Amino acid sequence: KEYSQEDQLLYAEILYCIHEEMAATSVDFLLRRTGWLLFDRQRAEYLCDWTISFMGEQLGWGDSKLEIEQRHVKEQLIEYQVH
């Protein structure tokens, strides 16, 4: 399968954050590394499930860890919701 340039950039960004910046959670990536939860919420919401899945593959997360990550991201989306 061929990946778009945007997909390739996203893969590289996540891999860099995991291996060079020690990003260990999806919230770490979506909030602290990219700031998308704060400054590009639409992108964060669009990519959160994919990000969790991809990081899970890279970091060897099991089903329970994936569920925890889903919950944490949803909590952060609520916490940083613009009112």
Side-chain angles (χ1 to χ4, degrees):
K1 178 181 176 182
E2 265 190 59
Y3 295 102
S4 70
Q5 216 172 7
E6 186 175 340
D7 288 345
Q8 290 177 26
L9 181 60
L10 182 59
Y11 292 131
E13 193 167 8
I14 292 175
L15 290 172
Y16 180 85
C17 286
I18 289 171
H19 296 291
E20 301 299 327
E21 296 183 354
M22 305 305 167
T25 69
S26 51
V27 170
D28 193 10
F29 178 76
L30 293 167
L31 177 64
R32 295 178 195 94
R33 307 302 169 173
T34 64
W36 293 344
L37 279 171
L38 296 172
F39 306 112
D40 195 349
R41 185 179 180 84
Q42 186 175 10
R43 186 173 190 182
E45 288 175 350
Y46 177 73
L47 292 173
C48 69
D49 290 336
W50 184 88
T51 298
I52 292 166
S53 177
F54 185 69
M55 288 187 76
E57 290 173 16
Q58 297 303 308
L59 296 169
W61 295 342
D63 290 341
S64 62
K65 175 65 172 167
L66 290 169
E67 289 174 20
I68 290 168
E69 290 295 312
Q70 287 280 350
R71 189 173 65 247
H72 286 171
V73 168
K74 293 201 183 333
E75 288 169 357
Q76 294 302 309
L77 285 168
I78 292 167
E79 183 174 335
Y80 290 105
Q81 193 170 7
V82 176
H83 299 285

